[in-house]
Amino acid sequence: MARKAPRTGIDESRLRVTPPARSAAGIPGVMHALQASVEQMGVVRTAQTLLRVNQKTGFDCMGCAWPEGDHRHTAEFCENGAKAVAEEATLRRVTPEFFAEHSVAELRERDDYWLGQQGRLTAPMVLAEGATHYTPIDWDAALALIADEIRSLDSPDQAVFYTSGRTSNEAAFLYQLLVRGIGTNNLPDCSNMCHESSGSALTETIGIGKGSVSLDDIHRASLIIIAGQNPGTNHPRMLSALEKAKRNGARIIAVNPLPEAGLIRFANPQSPRGLLLGGTVLADDFLQIRLGGDQALFQGLGKHLLEVEEHTGTVFDRAFIAECTTGVDGYLEAMRATPWSEIVTATGLTERQIRDTGDALVASGATVVCWAMGLTQHKHSVAMLRDVVNVLLLQGSIGRSGAGVCPVRGHSNVQGDRTMGIFERMPESFHAALDAEFGFVSPRTHGVDTVAAIRAMREGAVRVFMGLGGNFARATPDTAVTEEALARTRLTVQVSTKLNRSHLMTGRRALILPTLGRTERDVQAGGEQRVTVEDSMSSVHASRGRLAPASDELLSEVAIIARLSALLFEGPDALPGAPVADWAEFERDYASVRRRIARVVPGFDDFESRIEKGASFVLPHGARDSRTFPTPSGRAVFTANPLEYPRIPPGRLLLQTIRSHDQYNTTIYGEDDRYRGIHGGRRVVLVNPDDIAALGLADGDLVDLVSEFRDGVERRAEAFRIVAYSTPRGNAAAYYPETNVLVPLDSVADVSGTPTSKSVIVQLVPVR
Ligand SMILES: Nc1nc2c(c(=O)[nH]1)N[C@H]1C(S)=C(S)[C@@H](COP(=O)(O)OP(=O)(O)OC[C@H]3O[C@@H](n4cnc5c(=O)[nH]c(N)nc54)[C@H](O)[C@@H]3O)O[C@H]1N2
Ligand SMILES: Nc1nc2c(c(=O)[nH]1)N[C@H]1C(S)=C(S)[C@@H](COP(=O)(O)OP(=O)(O)OC[C@H]3O[C@@H](n4cnc5c(=O)[nH]c(N)nc54)[C@H](O)[C@@H]3O)O[C@H]1N2
Ligand SMILES: [Mo]
């Protein structure tokens, strides 16, 4: 099978801009998926692989965390899921010879696209102190090096252990045990940059940080509000669920600064209607809101509901409010006091538009609110999401069929990782169960999250950094600061499938530990293994890869963690107070890990039998199942939140940093953002035409983006092409990770600590 040579980096001079698409998916989507896959995997492997995505006995798609329905289509994949699979199942290889050929300094000059295109990592590699090149190292020596560095710490808190959300439940559970066994809770994860604001707001208000709806609830909803999410690109399978809801009579309202293709119209490649008729019009209404205006919108909706209730007495679910909630009076008082004028300014919408949306709520018997990064990455995101919950609580739209909160997760197992204990501040009940199971005392002092980890590294307080997946150097804010922070450590370790920039921005020494991906067969002494994952709707199921591993030298994540644990916790040199377990058995048979999970984590009883033959089970969720709210008062909590929204200084724009259609976070699949009409380049900034004129600039001009923050540091992203685009006045958009250099480390959301990636004040400085 002919294999195309990897491409070179992106040549921005080939940038071409066309009008944005009016619908998502459909035949072009499927064609693109197949083309991308064949290029990387060849024809046979493409067919073998894609037919197993999300089937009951196949592997879980790493594209996103949207659930698979009970009735799976033969091809339960989407264009971008196929691209995610192709990235992993690629036939290209990064070998020891590759590292002999390319110095680290040279690789740093390459862009993310080029690095990712080199293929799968094949052998453990070490970058010795002062060395210019990575060289091979065997697994025992690599793991011993980590163990020695950990043993030499003055305090376990000098080590930091990052996790990205692709890690299986089994690996995540063992990893947090390893880290707590060492004696720290320094467990930052990608979630800190992602849905942490959702977790914070939901835990405070409904007692559990997870979504409360099932796929059936989406299908049965009478109103679905989708705010701050671009499902056509990032959760394409969600569009099928929305189409079904629509057929059942649901009204869909999209709230977004950008008219995203997938929100407007959807051509379903799996239904003949989609193919023949040009698709379903999904959104009935589109509210083109200003960046960060959503708290004001939801306060306006609360205000409207209150006014209609005062006239008719039929809007509020009074019985639910009285029996199951607290704080309604304070909330309503605050809503009365918020002036419409401020709501209109913050949202950029008219009072009429907001009242019409309010009327849709009044008319709805069951409302679901879905959201993603557009609502979680602002300074006031937690308050914003509390106000979303307030509106739903007024009508009792929680724990009822067709209604609830739906934070749509990103990474395919990010929710499961948190369930397994990847969190710097797990509740006492978790610690107690873990201690009882493993005969040790886990540390109770809270650890660092992602931003705090970077601060600690910057201060020289961290000696060992380990990443279980992900691309810490590139996904985090304030790129220059983060890279310097990583350089202050003694050892950086990356457990990875593909080459990325985190392998190049290292501590004094560095290790690359190559691991199996989800698509690959995982054979251990105890036979062929499967792992488990939890989707966005708390459903747990098994995943089993079928492809031959990318190299004979790969170890599974479970094996890597189990072996490192054995080095640290067994024998005469065991760390004092270490957890007690048969570490080799964990590697031999992952069912032995699941037996431990079942005894430590609530909701996993009979774990093994409940995932037999492709079965799945749904974890308990008090609010959803029985309207029991595990908050301190035992009730759902209305909150009164002062209205906040971003203020944009004159001559400046508010920049949001987003994903293109051709990327998976820091992995760049290609150079197009088809739905938005951007082709052949990524260094673009989307700006309202009136702002372009007001700033004395022109469409197509080349500018530097310079961000402004109270610390007075100049942060600059160079050479971006201005593209006139439909976005509210004062708002702009550009792709991440190129723009992470602009996000100040100290600019984080209140309470959740999430970097404000959707709210960066910038100046456009012409390049002369
Ligand atoms: N193909 C693909 N799939 C992915 C990913 C990927 O990179 N590629 N990433 C995965 C991950 S980890 C995640 S978290 C999800 C991310 O999924 P999304 O959250 O959809 O991703 P973003 O590109 O960040 O898009 C944010 C959306 O919110 C809108 N928005 C921004 N600010 C505001 C605001 O203030 N108010 C409102 N109402 N809207 C706003 C933007 O215009 C955009 O439509 O996708 C997951 N799935
Ligand atoms: N400015 C800005 N910054 C953002 C965001 C934003 O919207 N704007 N979004 C944030 C969000 S939502 C997220 S989730 C983070 C993402 O942050 P991360 O999760 O850290 O980043 P990814 O790009 O998803 O990680 C990609 C790398 O993961 C490795 N990998 C892939 N599969 C596997 C596997 O199965 N096992 C192992 N061990 N490794 C694997 C590969 O080596 C690949 O290079 O970025 C955040 N950063
Ligand atoms: Mo994410």
Side-chain angles (χ1 to χ4, degrees), residues 39 45 79 162 246 593 689 733:
E39 240 176 63
R45 212 168 151 90
E79 175 190 355
Y162 176 71
K246 188 88 207 180
V593 184

Short mmCIF file of all heavy atoms in Angstrom, two decimals, residues 39 45 79 162 246 593 689 733:
data_model
loop_
_atom_site.label_atom_id
_atom_site.label_comp_id
_atom_site.label_asym_id
_atom_site.label_seq_id
_atom_site.Cartn_x
_atom_site.Cartn_y
_atom_site.Cartn_z
N GLU A 39 -4.86 8.33 3.60
CA GLU A 39 -3.53 8.90 3.53
C GLU A 39 -2.64 8.38 4.66
O GLU A 39 -1.46 8.11 4.47
CB GLU A 39 -3.63 10.42 3.68
CG GLU A 39 -3.09 11.17 2.49
CD GLU A 39 -3.29 12.66 2.64
OE1 GLU A 39 -2.72 13.22 3.58
OE2 GLU A 39 -4.04 13.22 1.83
N ARG A 45 -6.46 -0.98 6.20
CA ARG A 45 -6.48 -0.60 7.60
C ARG A 45 -7.61 0.40 7.89
O ARG A 45 -8.23 0.38 8.94
CB ARG A 45 -5.12 0.02 7.93
CG ARG A 45 -4.64 -0.21 9.33
CD ARG A 45 -3.16 0.20 9.36
NE ARG A 45 -2.74 0.67 10.67
CZ ARG A 45 -2.26 -0.12 11.61
NH1 ARG A 45 -2.18 -1.41 11.43
NH2 ARG A 45 -1.85 0.41 12.76
N GLU A 79 -16.66 12.48 10.68
CA GLU A 79 -15.44 12.92 10.00
C GLU A 79 -14.30 13.15 10.99
O GLU A 79 -13.20 12.64 10.81
CB GLU A 79 -15.74 14.21 9.24
CG GLU A 79 -14.51 14.80 8.59
CD GLU A 79 -14.74 16.21 8.05
OE1 GLU A 79 -15.88 16.69 8.10
OE2 GLU A 79 -13.76 16.81 7.58
N TYR A 162 0.67 15.23 35.63
CA TYR A 162 -0.41 15.71 34.78
C TYR A 162 -1.11 14.54 34.09
O TYR A 162 -0.48 13.51 33.82
CB TYR A 162 0.20 16.66 33.73
CG TYR A 162 -0.75 17.18 32.68
CD1 TYR A 162 -1.72 18.12 33.01
CD2 TYR A 162 -0.65 16.78 31.34
CE1 TYR A 162 -2.58 18.63 32.03
CE2 TYR A 162 -1.50 17.29 30.36
CZ TYR A 162 -2.46 18.22 30.72
OH TYR A 162 -3.30 18.72 29.76
N LYS A 246 -35.20 17.21 17.09
CA LYS A 246 -35.91 18.11 16.19
C LYS A 246 -37.12 17.38 15.57
O LYS A 246 -38.22 17.91 15.50
CB LYS A 246 -34.91 18.49 15.12
CG LYS A 246 -35.30 19.52 14.20
CD LYS A 246 -34.92 20.83 14.77
CE LYS A 246 -35.88 21.81 14.17
NZ LYS A 246 -35.67 23.14 14.60
N VAL A 593 -7.48 -4.67 38.42
CA VAL A 593 -7.61 -3.23 38.71
C VAL A 593 -9.09 -2.88 38.90
O VAL A 593 -9.47 -2.15 39.82
CB VAL A 593 -7.02 -2.37 37.57
CG1 VAL A 593 -7.07 -0.88 37.93
CG2 VAL A 593 -5.60 -2.80 37.23
N PRO A 689 -16.28 43.29 10.29
CA PRO A 689 -15.87 44.25 9.26
C PRO A 689 -15.88 45.70 9.76
O PRO A 689 -15.00 46.49 9.40
CB PRO A 689 -16.90 44.07 8.15
CG PRO A 689 -17.50 42.73 8.38
CD PRO A 689 -17.35 42.39 9.83
N ALA A 733 -11.68 36.28 16.92
CA ALA A 733 -11.40 34.86 17.17
C ALA A 733 -10.15 34.44 16.42
O ALA A 733 -9.90 34.91 15.31
CB ALA A 733 -12.59 34.00 16.73
#
